[in-house]
Amino acid sequence: MVMQAHPKTLQVVAETATVSTRDVVTGKVRVETRTEIHDEFVSAAVRSENVTVERVSVNREVDVVPTIRTEGDVTIVPVVEEVIVVEKRLIVREELHIRRTVSSEIIETSVPLRKQSATIHRVDDLDHATEEEV
């Protein structure tokens, strides 16, 4: 008897895996905010400036209108008047001497400030509730 060679077939099999995701609710979170107002004292330096005006009689004849000038902490504003004499002349009738004084004071006042806090309520899928303060 003559034997024929039969080819033997070997099949190669491969498995593949597919991974997918899906959303699952495992708990819930509820956040509450609370605003508290409290007064806090603050202080600040407040500066004020006062002006005094002093009238100084001069009655001096001039040829041109004098300019405003400053001597030390005094600003001098000439006030002129034309008078009729046979000719026209400028007479300084008075000067305004303006002196500045500066004062400062510390003031204290109450200022309302707001502060928020939050409470987080977590509920898991077994209805177990937890609370945390933030």
Side-chain angles (χ1 to χ4, degrees):
M1 163 172 210
V2 177
M3 293 216 170
Q4 284 187 330
H6 287 283
K8 292 186 178 179
T9 306
L10 182 59
Q11 291 185 353
V12 178
V13 178
E15 291 182 336
T16 59
T18 304
V19 178
S20 62
T21 61
R22 61 184 171 91
D23 291 337
V24 176
V25 176
T26 60
K28 297 177 182 177
V29 174
R30 184 180 75 210
V31 177
E32 294 177 22
T33 60
R34 206 171 37 250
T35 301
E36 299 172 6
I37 298 176
H38 67 280
D39 290 337
E40 186 168 312
F41 283 98
V42 295
S43 63
V46 178
R47 183 175 178 251
S48 64
E49 197 171 299
N50 294 316
V51 175
T52 58
V53 177
E54 177 186 354
R55 292 175 167 271
V56 177
S57 181
V58 175
N59 290 322
R60 178 180 66 231
E61 186 177 323
V62 293
D63 295 326
V64 295
V65 176
T67 60
I68 297 173
R69 66 186 190 278
T70 302
E71 294 179 3
D73 64 343
V74 177
T75 302
I76 299 171
V77 179
V79 178
V80 295
E81 173 184 53
E82 289 181 340
V83 292
I84 296 182
V85 185
V86 178
E87 56 188 283
K88 185 167 52 168
R89 299 180 186 169
L90 289 174
I91 305 279
V92 176
R93 290 290 178 206
E94 65 179 342
E95 294 176 333
L96 301 177
H97 291 217
I98 302 170
R99 185 175 329 263
R100 290 190 184 119
T101 57
V102 176
S103 64
S104 65
E105 64 178 307
I106 303 294
I107 60 166
E108 291 187 354
T109 185
S110 178
V111 177
L113 300 178
R114 291 174 175 80
K115 177 182 177 182
Q116 285 190 329
S117 61
T119 304
I120 300 172
H121 302 278
R122 296 181 187 269
V123 180
D124 62 15
D125 57 345
L126 300 175
D127 283 337
H128 294 112
T130 59
E131 183 176 302
E132 61 183 87
E133 188 79 21
V134 180

